[in-house]
Amino acid sequence: MRVRRCILGICWLLSLILISLYGGTVSYGIFFGLTLIPFVSFLYILFVWIFHRIYQEIGSRNIVCGQSVPYYFVLKNESWFAFASIRIFFFSDFSYVEELPDEIEYELLPGEQYKYETSFVCKYRGEYEVGIEEIVISDFWGLFGIKFAVRESRKVIAAPKLIHLDGLNSVPDISAAMQSDNLQATELDVVTREYTAGDALKQIHWKASAREGRLMSRKPVGEEKRGVALIFDTKRCNKDPGVYLPIENKVLEIALALSLFMSKTNTPVSYFYHLNNSTNDIEHGQLNGLKDIEDLYERMKRVQFDFGADMGTDLMKIHREGHLMDKAIVFIILHEMNDDTLRLTYQLAENDTIVVCYIVTDENIDELCSTSDLSRRIIAITPEEELEEVL
């Protein structure tokens, strides 16, 4: 197309030189003919844009990530002129159309239509546009091509997919992890540790506190810990959908995969997440088996990420309210690790709680892991990584 425009420009300059040197009817005819070609091309392109029709339909507006959904489009010429060249381009950042030949130029005679049936797949959870994004219309001579957005786009609401895990690399033996180190004790042996926020007043060992010069809490040994806590971050990390959608999708996929795995083993799971920025409430729910997965899944579909959420503050609030004291395992899913979060993981580990942090990021966290005693259970996951291989 660029070459043809260059040839047209050279011919126009030659015709200009011709009429300057020789004049005459033929020279002026050639000059005005070449001058009118761009205007005629743009008028033709505008005409095609007015009279073309594109109809597209999707099988369902509510779909699941990674699931093929029926899709078709119809390109129709409703004029009395032929369409020389129309190219179609699809939304490709968050979805893709399957089995569609690339770089096709559609040529339609008057009244003719082209129909193509295929399917598309959404990559991430969220609400966004799919299907045809824009078309490029070219003139008969192939000199110019102008992009136009489609008049009616299609939006879908994609839900996160459920991933079935056979086991966890971070906690290989769940059954053993759910028990305390000393289940043979017939009574609670009093062992003290430094007081942490969230300890009840009755746990404080006043004599030990006076002896140590700081608040000390009783640490029960021999008491069976039951249940798992699952905490995931709902902070929006960026204004660009191309950045935040893959991360948010992966956070929810991990939370669902862990919940489903625990539910299959009838392990009680308490889940927590920041509800919204206006009230700063923390949503709290309980899973007691596979019967509760459907309810959790519906909640996950409605989760809203916002800039006001703060994982460190939420974690400390959950801990202060005592929700984590009786948990054998705490899973934390986030997209960045801060000092408050790291500090809480140490406090929980000192209470013989297994803490696993999944960080959804493309950044290198080797330095963080190398300086942490919990490095074995601080796991980085890229937004595009398959969970079956990582979790």
Coordinates of all heavy atoms in Angstrom, one line a residue, residues 258-315:
L258 N -7.2 -24.0 45.9 CA -6.9 -24.4 47.3 C -8.1 -24.8 48.0 O -8.2 -25.8 48.7 CB -6.1 -23.3 48.0 CG -4.7 -23.0 47.5 CD1 -4.2 -21.8 48.2 CD2 -3.8 -24.2 47.7
S259 N -9.2 -24.0 47.8 CA -10.4 -24.3 48.5 C -11.0 -25.6 48.1 O -11.5 -26.4 48.9 CB -11.4 -23.2 48.3 OG -10.9 -22.0 48.7
L260 N -11.0 -25.9 46.8 CA -11.5 -27.1 46.2 C -10.7 -28.3 46.7 O -11.3 -29.4 47.1 CB -11.5 -27.1 44.7 CG -12.1 -28.3 44.0 CD1 -13.5 -28.6 44.4 CD2 -12.0 -28.1 42.5
F261 N -9.4 -28.2 46.7 CA -8.5 -29.3 47.2 C -8.8 -29.6 48.7 O -8.9 -30.8 49.0 CB -7.1 -28.9 47.0 CG -6.1 -29.9 47.5 CD1 -5.8 -31.1 46.8 CD2 -5.4 -29.7 48.7 CE1 -4.9 -32.0 47.3 CE2 -4.6 -30.7 49.2 CZ -4.3 -31.8 48.5
M262 N -8.9 -28.6 49.5 CA -9.2 -28.8 50.9 C -10.5 -29.4 51.2 O -10.7 -30.3 52.0 CB -9.0 -27.5 51.7 CG -7.6 -26.9 51.7 SD -6.4 -28.0 52.5 CE -4.9 -27.2 52.1
S263 N -11.5 -28.9 50.4 CA -12.9 -29.4 50.6 C -13.0 -30.9 50.2 O -13.8 -31.6 50.8 CB -13.8 -28.6 49.7 OG -13.9 -27.3 50.1
K264 N -12.2 -31.4 49.2 CA -12.2 -32.8 48.8 C -11.7 -33.7 49.9 O -12.0 -34.9 50.0 CB -11.5 -33.0 47.5 CG -12.2 -32.4 46.3 CD -11.5 -32.9 45.0 CE -10.1 -32.3 44.9 NZ -9.5 -32.6 43.5
T265 N -10.9 -33.1 50.8 CA -10.4 -33.9 52.0 C -11.2 -33.6 53.3 O -10.7 -34.0 54.3 CB -8.9 -33.6 52.2 OG1 -8.7 -32.2 52.5 CG2 -8.1 -33.9 51.0
N266 N -12.3 -32.9 53.1 CA -13.2 -32.5 54.2 C -12.4 -31.7 55.3 O -12.6 -31.8 56.5 CB -13.8 -33.7 54.9 CG -14.8 -34.4 54.0 OD1 -15.6 -33.7 53.3 ND2 -14.7 -35.7 53.9
T267 N -11.5 -30.9 54.9 CA -10.7 -30.0 55.8 C -11.5 -28.7 55.9 O -11.7 -28.0 54.9 CB -9.3 -29.7 55.2 OG1 -8.6 -31.0 55.1 CG2 -8.5 -28.9 56.2
P268 N -11.8 -28.2 57.1 CA -12.5 -26.9 57.2 C -11.6 -25.8 56.8 O -10.5 -25.7 57.1 CB -12.8 -26.9 58.7 CG -12.7 -28.2 59.3 CD -11.7 -28.9 58.4
V269 N -12.2 -24.9 56.0 CA -11.5 -23.7 55.5 C -12.2 -22.5 55.8 O -13.4 -22.3 55.5 CB -11.3 -23.8 53.9 CG1 -10.6 -22.6 53.4 CG2 -10.6 -25.1 53.6
S270 N -11.5 -21.5 56.4 CA -12.0 -20.2 56.7 C -11.4 -19.2 55.7 O -10.2 -19.2 55.6 CB -11.7 -19.7 58.1 OG -12.3 -20.6 59.1
Y271 N -12.2 -18.5 54.9 CA -11.6 -17.6 53.9 C -11.9 -16.1 54.3 O -13.0 -15.8 54.9 CB -12.1 -18.0 52.5 CG -13.6 -17.9 52.3 CD1 -14.2 -16.7 52.0 CD2 -14.4 -19.1 52.5 CE1 -15.6 -16.7 51.8 CE2 -15.7 -19.0 52.3 CZ -16.3 -17.8 52.0 OH -17.7 -17.8 51.8
F272 N -11.0 -15.3 53.9 CA -11.1 -13.9 54.2 C -10.6 -13.0 53.0 O -9.7 -13.4 52.4 CB -10.2 -13.5 55.4 CG -10.4 -14.3 56.7 CD1 -9.8 -15.5 56.8 CD2 -11.3 -13.9 57.7 CE1 -10.0 -16.3 57.9 CE2 -11.5 -14.7 58.8 CZ -10.8 -15.9 58.9
Y273 N -11.3 -11.9 52.8 CA -10.8 -11.0 51.8 C -11.5 -9.6 52.0 O -12.5 -9.5 52.7 CB -11.1 -11.5 50.3 CG -12.6 -11.7 50.0 CD1 -13.4 -10.6 49.5 CD2 -13.2 -12.9 50.2 CE1 -14.7 -10.8 49.2 CE2 -14.6 -13.1 49.9 CZ -15.3 -12.0 49.4 OH -16.6 -12.2 49.1
H274 N -10.8 -8.6 51.6 CA -11.3 -7.2 51.7 C -12.5 -7.0 50.9 O -12.5 -7.2 49.7 CB -10.1 -6.2 51.3 CG -10.4 -4.8 51.6 ND1 -9.9 -4.2 52.7 CD2 -11.1 -3.9 50.9 CE1 -10.3 -2.9 52.7 NE2 -11.1 -2.7 51.6
L275 N -13.6 -6.5 51.5 CA -14.9 -6.4 50.8 C -14.9 -5.2 49.9 O -15.2 -5.3 48.7 CB -16.0 -6.4 51.8 CG -17.4 -6.5 51.2 CD1 -17.5 -7.8 50.4 CD2 -18.4 -6.5 52.3
N276 N -14.8 -4.0 50.4 CA -14.8 -2.8 49.6 C -14.1 -1.7 50.3 O -13.9 -1.7 51.5 CB -16.3 -2.5 49.2 CG -17.1 -2.2 50.4 OD1 -16.9 -1.3 51.2 ND2 -18.2 -3.0 50.6
N277 N -13.9 -0.6 49.5 CA -13.1 0.5 50.0 C -14.0 1.4 50.9 O -13.4 2.1 51.8 CB -12.5 1.3 48.9 CG -11.5 2.4 49.3 OD1 -10.9 2.2 50.3 ND2 -11.5 3.5 48.6
S278 N -15.3 1.5 50.7 CA -16.1 2.4 51.4 C -16.2 2.1 52.9 O -16.3 3.0 53.8 CB -17.5 2.5 50.8 OG -18.1 1.3 50.8
T279 N -16.3 0.8 53.2 CA -16.5 0.4 54.6 C -15.3 -0.3 55.2 O -15.2 -0.5 56.4 CB -17.7 -0.6 54.7 OG1 -17.4 -1.8 53.9 CG2 -19.0 0.0 54.2
N280 N -14.3 -0.7 54.4 CA -13.2 -1.4 54.8 C -13.5 -2.7 55.6 O -12.8 -3.1 56.5 CB -12.3 -0.5 55.7 CG -11.5 0.5 54.9 OD1 -11.0 0.2 53.8 ND2 -11.4 1.7 55.4
D281 N -14.7 -3.3 55.2 CA -15.1 -4.5 55.9 C -14.3 -5.7 55.3 O -13.8 -5.7 54.2 CB -16.6 -4.8 55.7 CG -17.4 -3.8 56.4 OD1 -16.9 -3.3 57.5 OD2 -18.6 -3.6 56.0
I282 N -14.1 -6.8 56.1 CA -13.5 -8.0 55.6 C -14.5 -9.1 55.5 O -15.2 -9.4 56.5 CB -12.4 -8.4 56.6 CG1 -11.3 -7.3 56.6 CG2 -11.8 -9.8 56.2 CD1 -10.1 -7.6 57.5
E283 N -14.7 -9.6 54.4 CA -15.6 -10.7 54.2 C -15.1 -12.0 54.7 O -13.9 -12.3 54.6 CB -15.9 -10.9 52.7 CG -17.0 -11.9 52.3 CD -18.4 -11.5 52.7 OE1 -18.6 -10.3 53.1 OE2 -19.3 -12.2 52.4
H284 N -15.9 -12.7 55.4 CA -15.5 -13.9 56.1 C -16.5 -15.0 55.9 O -17.7 -14.8 56.0 CB -15.3 -13.7 57.6 CG -15.0 -14.9 58.4 ND1 -15.5 -15.1 59.7 CD2 -14.3 -16.0 58.1 CE1 -15.0 -16.2 60.2 NE2 -14.3 -16.8 59.2
G285 N -16.0 -16.2 55.5 CA -16.9 -17.3 55.2 C -16.2 -18.6 55.6 O -15.0 -18.7 55.9
Q286 N -17.0 -19.7 55.6 CA -16.5 -21.0 56.1 C -16.9 -22.1 55.1 O -18.0 -22.1 54.6 CB -17.1 -21.4 57.4 CG -16.6 -22.7 58.0 CD -15.2 -22.6 58.6 OE1 -14.8 -21.5 58.9 NE2 -14.6 -23.7 58.8
L287 N -15.9 -22.9 54.8 CA -16.1 -24.1 53.9 C -16.0 -25.4 54.7 O -15.0 -25.6 55.4 CB -15.1 -24.2 52.8 CG -15.2 -23.1 51.7 CD1 -14.0 -23.3 50.7 CD2 -16.5 -23.1 50.9
N288 N -17.1 -26.2 54.7 CA -17.0 -27.4 55.5 C -17.2 -28.6 54.6 O -17.7 -29.7 55.0 CB -18.2 -27.4 56.5 CG -18.0 -26.4 57.6 OD1 -16.9 -26.3 58.2 ND2 -18.9 -25.5 57.7
G289 N -16.8 -28.5 53.3 CA -16.9 -29.6 52.4 C -17.3 -29.2 51.0 O -17.5 -28.0 50.8
L290 N -17.4 -30.1 50.1 CA -17.7 -29.8 48.7 C -19.1 -29.1 48.5 O -19.3 -28.4 47.6 CB -17.7 -31.1 47.9 CG -16.3 -31.7 47.6 CD1 -16.4 -33.0 46.9 CD2 -15.4 -30.7 46.8
K291 N -20.0 -29.3 49.5 CA -21.3 -28.7 49.4 C -21.2 -27.2 49.4 O -22.2 -26.5 49.0 CB -22.2 -29.2 50.5 CG -21.7 -28.9 51.9 CD -22.6 -29.5 53.0 CE -22.0 -29.3 54.4 NZ -21.9 -27.9 54.7
D292 N -20.2 -26.6 50.0 CA -20.0 -25.2 50.1 C -19.3 -24.5 48.9 O -19.1 -23.3 48.9 CB -19.4 -24.8 51.4 CG -20.2 -25.3 52.6 OD1 -21.4 -25.2 52.5 OD2 -19.6 -25.7 53.6
I293 N -18.7 -25.3 48.0 CA -17.9 -24.8 47.0 C -18.7 -23.9 46.0 O -18.2 -22.9 45.6 CB -17.2 -25.9 46.2 CG1 -16.0 -26.5 47.0 CG2 -16.7 -25.5 44.8 CD1 -14.9 -25.5 47.1
E294 N -19.9 -24.3 45.7 CA -20.7 -23.6 44.8 C -21.0 -22.2 45.3 O -20.9 -21.2 44.6 CB -22.0 -24.3 44.5 CG -22.9 -23.6 43.5 CD -24.2 -24.3 43.1 OE1 -24.3 -25.5 43.6 OE2 -25.0 -23.8 42.4
D295 N -21.3 -22.1 46.6 CA -21.5 -20.7 47.2 C -20.2 -19.9 47.2 O -20.3 -18.7 46.8 CB -21.9 -20.9 48.7 CG -22.1 -19.6 49.4 OD1 -23.0 -18.8 49.0 OD2 -21.3 -19.3 50.3
L296 N -19.1 -20.5 47.4 CA -17.8 -19.8 47.4 C -17.6 -19.3 45.9 O -17.1 -18.2 45.7 CB -16.7 -20.6 47.8 CG -15.3 -20.0 47.7 CD1 -15.1 -18.8 48.5 CD2 -14.2 -21.1 48.0
Y297 N -17.8 -20.2 45.0 CA -17.6 -19.8 43.6 C -18.4 -18.6 43.1 O -18.0 -17.7 42.5 CB -17.9 -21.0 42.7 CG -17.5 -20.8 41.2 CD1 -16.2 -20.7 40.9 CD2 -18.5 -20.7 40.3 CE1 -15.8 -20.6 39.5 CE2 -18.1 -20.5 38.9 CZ -16.8 -20.5 38.6 OH -16.4 -20.3 37.3
E298 N -19.7 -18.6 43.6 CA -20.6 -17.4 43.3 C -20.0 -16.2 43.9 O -20.1 -15.1 43.3 CB -22.0 -17.7 43.8 CG -22.7 -18.8 43.0 CD -22.8 -18.4 41.5 OE1 -23.1 -17.3 41.2 OE2 -22.7 -19.3 40.7
R299 N -19.5 -16.3 45.1 CA -18.9 -15.1 45.8 C -17.6 -14.6 45.0 O -17.4 -13.4 44.8 CB -18.4 -15.4 47.2 CG -19.6 -15.6 48.2 CD -19.1 -16.1 49.5 NE -20.1 -16.2 50.5 CZ -20.3 -15.4 51.5 NH1 -19.4 -14.4 51.7 NH2 -21.2 -15.6 52.4
M300 N -16.8 -15.6 44.5 CA -15.6 -15.2 43.8 C -16.0 -14.5 42.5 O -15.2 -13.6 42.0 CB -14.8 -16.5 43.4 CG -14.2 -17.1 44.7 SD -12.9 -16.2 45.4 CE -12.1 -17.4 46.5
K301 N -17.1 -14.9 41.8 CA -17.5 -14.2 40.6 C -17.8 -12.7 40.8 O -17.7 -11.9 39.9 CB -18.7 -14.9 40.0 CG -18.3 -16.3 39.4 CD -19.5 -17.2 39.2 CE -20.5 -16.6 38.2 NZ -21.6 -17.6 38.0
R302 N -18.2 -12.4 42.1 CA -18.7 -11.1 42.4 C -17.6 -10.2 43.1 O -17.8 -9.0 43.4 CB -19.9 -11.1 43.2 CG -21.1 -11.8 42.6 CD -22.4 -11.5 43.4 NE -22.3 -12.0 44.7 CZ -22.7 -13.3 45.0 NH1 -23.2 -14.1 44.1 NH2 -22.6 -13.7 46.3
V303 N -16.4 -10.8 43.4 CA -15.4 -10.1 44.1 C -15.0 -8.9 43.3 O -14.7 -9.0 42.1 CB -14.2 -11.0 44.4 CG1 -13.0 -10.2 44.8 CG2 -14.5 -12.0 45.4
Q304 N -14.8 -7.7 44.0 CA -14.4 -6.5 43.3 C -13.1 -6.1 43.9 O -12.9 -6.0 45.1 CB -15.4 -5.4 43.5 CG -16.8 -5.6 42.8 CD -17.7 -4.5 42.9 OE1 -17.5 -3.5 43.6 NE2 -18.8 -4.6 42.2
F305 N -12.1 -5.9 43.0 CA -10.8 -5.4 43.5 C -10.8 -3.9 43.4 O -11.4 -3.3 42.5 CB -9.7 -5.9 42.5 CG -9.4 -7.4 42.7 CD1 -10.3 -8.3 42.2 CD2 -8.3 -7.9 43.2 CE1 -10.1 -9.7 42.3 CE2 -8.0 -9.2 43.4 CZ -8.9 -10.1 42.9
D306 N -10.1 -3.3 44.4 CA -10.1 -1.8 44.4 C -8.7 -1.3 45.0 O -8.0 -2.1 45.6 CB -11.3 -1.2 45.2 CG -11.2 -1.6 46.7 OD1 -10.3 -1.1 47.4 OD2 -12.1 -2.3 47.1
F307 N -8.5 -0.1 44.8 CA -7.2 0.5 45.1 C -7.1 0.7 46.7 O -6.0 0.9 47.2 CB -6.9 1.8 44.4 CG -6.7 1.7 42.9 CD1 -7.8 2.0 42.1 CD2 -5.5 1.2 42.4 CE1 -7.6 1.8 40.7 CE2 -5.3 1.1 41.1 CZ -6.4 1.4 40.2
G308 N -8.2 0.8 47.4 CA -8.2 1.1 48.8 C -7.8 -0.1 49.7 O -7.5 0.1 50.9
A309 N -7.8 -1.3 49.2 CA -7.5 -2.5 50.0 C -6.0 -2.5 50.4 O -5.2 -2.1 49.6 CB -7.8 -3.8 49.2
D310 N -5.7 -2.9 51.6 CA -4.3 -3.0 52.1 C -4.1 -4.3 52.8 O -4.7 -4.6 53.8 CB -4.0 -1.9 53.0 CG -2.6 -1.9 53.5 OD1 -1.7 -1.3 52.8 OD2 -2.3 -2.5 54.5
M311 N -3.4 -5.2 52.1 CA -3.2 -6.6 52.7 C -2.6 -6.6 54.1 O -3.1 -7.4 54.9 CB -2.4 -7.4 51.7 CG -2.3 -8.9 52.0 SD -4.0 -9.6 51.9 CE -3.6 -11.3 51.8
G312 N -1.6 -5.8 54.3 CA -1.0 -5.8 55.6 C -1.9 -5.4 56.7 O -2.0 -6.1 57.8
T313 N -2.7 -4.4 56.5 CA -3.7 -3.9 57.5 C -4.8 -5.0 57.7 O -5.2 -5.3 58.8 CB -4.4 -2.6 57.0 OG1 -3.4 -1.6 56.8 CG2 -5.4 -2.1 58.0
D314 N -5.3 -5.6 56.6 CA -6.3 -6.6 56.7 C -5.8 -7.8 57.5 O -6.5 -8.4 58.3 CB -6.7 -7.0 55.3 CG -7.5 -5.9 54.6 OD1 -8.0 -5.0 55.2 OD2 -7.7 -6.0 53.3
L315 N -4.6 -8.2 57.2 CA -4.0 -9.4 57.9 C -3.9 -9.1 59.4 O -4.3 -10.0 60.2 CB -2.6 -9.7 57.4 CG -2.6 -10.4 56.0 CD1 -1.1 -10.5 55.5 CD2 -3.2 -11.8 56.1

